[in-house]
Amino acid sequence: MILETQRLILREMEQADFDDLAQMLQDPEVMYAYEHDFSDADVQEWLDRQRMRYQRYGFGLWAMILKETGEMIGQAGLTMQPHRGSEVLEIGYLLKKRFWHHGYAREAAEGCRQYAFETLKAPKVHSVIKADNYASQRVAASIGMRREDEFIARYYNGDMLHYLYSMENRTGGEDQ
């Protein structure tokens, strides 16, 4: 286990999580921001990339487990993402559609923010969010992030407008 929140456990993904991961990555409604249909090979590549991130950085996107049932309901975690010629520490989250609108993304993002600031001692965290992904923008804002930049990012189907949300690690007793 990497971290625990009131209702969730975040842990490293393993090969046995392939089917749960595929349920998310192969759902066009969940993955609309990527504008790409994910094959089984794409899902395996995504899983392998997370496992490589665990080895390289000590973090990545983790399996989001609902404590009450033990089910993997999504993924959330920290990744290094390109932004204007450098890399930023990003909080990312993605849930199976039937778990949308229950506050799980916010709860996981808050846990990841706390982990980044308290465990990793990161000076700042970010979220890279597609301009029309209003739900993710609301999650980022709800944990204290503010829109800092807008830029074009290239994904599977071309260039897309994105916003960079960010938050600094404030010390000295302020609410983090």
Side-chain angles (χ1 to χ4, degrees):
M1 178 176 65
I2 304 297
L3 66 95
E4 183 175 0
T5 66
Q6 181 180 353
R7 300 176 294 169
L8 304 169
I9 292 172
L10 273 61
R11 62 156 174 81
E12 289 186 359
M13 281 192 267
E14 49 200 41
Q15 190 60 44
D17 296 317
F18 179 91
D19 289 341
D20 284 306
L21 189 58
Q23 284 179 36
M24 285 181 290
L25 298 183
Q26 293 178 338
D27 182 333
E29 288 184 78
V30 172
M31 299 303 291
Y32 80 92
Y34 285 82
E35 297 181 8
H36 174 72
D37 294 328
F38 281 72
S39 67
D40 284 351
D42 291 330
V43 174
Q44 186 62 54
E45 183 180 320
W46 186 286
L47 179 58
D48 292 344
R49 187 169 44 253
Q50 302 324 309
R51 297 174 79 190
M52 179 277 304
R53 286 172 168 155
Y54 305 152
Q55 292 177 353
R56 182 173 182 188
Y57 300 109
F59 54 81
L61 295 173
W62 300 305
M64 186 187 309
I65 308 299
L66 187 60
K67 285 182 187 179
E68 185 177 339
T69 64
E71 180 179 359
M72 181 177 166
I73 65 168
Q75 63 177 6
L78 301 164
T79 59
M80 298 304 296
Q81 293 295 325
H83 176 257
R84 298 199 183 273
S86 64
E87 287 188 320
V88 297
L89 180 62
E90 181 193 35
I91 296 173
Y93 34 85
L94 188 66
L95 283 92
K96 293 177 183 175
K97 187 171 186 234
R98 72 180 188 272
F99 296 100
W100 289 1
H101 309 296
H102 296 282
Y104 297 124
R106 184 200 185 287
E107 185 174 329
E110 177 70 29
C112 291
R113 182 192 64 130
Q114 185 175 350
Y115 183 89
F117 288 165
E118 293 178 8
T119 302
L120 301 180
K121 308 296 186 207
K124 196 171 187 179
V125 292
H126 306 80
S127 283
V128 176
I129 303 172
K130 193 172 172 219
D132 65 354
N133 188 342
Y134 306 113
S136 284
Q137 292 173 39
R138 285 190 298 273
V139 169
S142 77
I143 68 165
M145 290 184 164
R146 299 291 172 252
R147 193 164 86 189
E148 177 179 306
D149 193 13
E150 63 180 60
F151 62 100
I152 301 297
R154 176 171 289 275
Y155 285 98
Y156 297 95
N157 286 334
D159 293 340
M160 300 177 208
L161 179 63
H162 281 70
Y163 298 137
L164 181 72
Y165 278 73
S166 64
M167 179 179 192
E168 291 184 13
N169 186 352
R170 303 196 190 281
T171 58
E174 292 183 20
D175 182 23
Q176 293 187 38

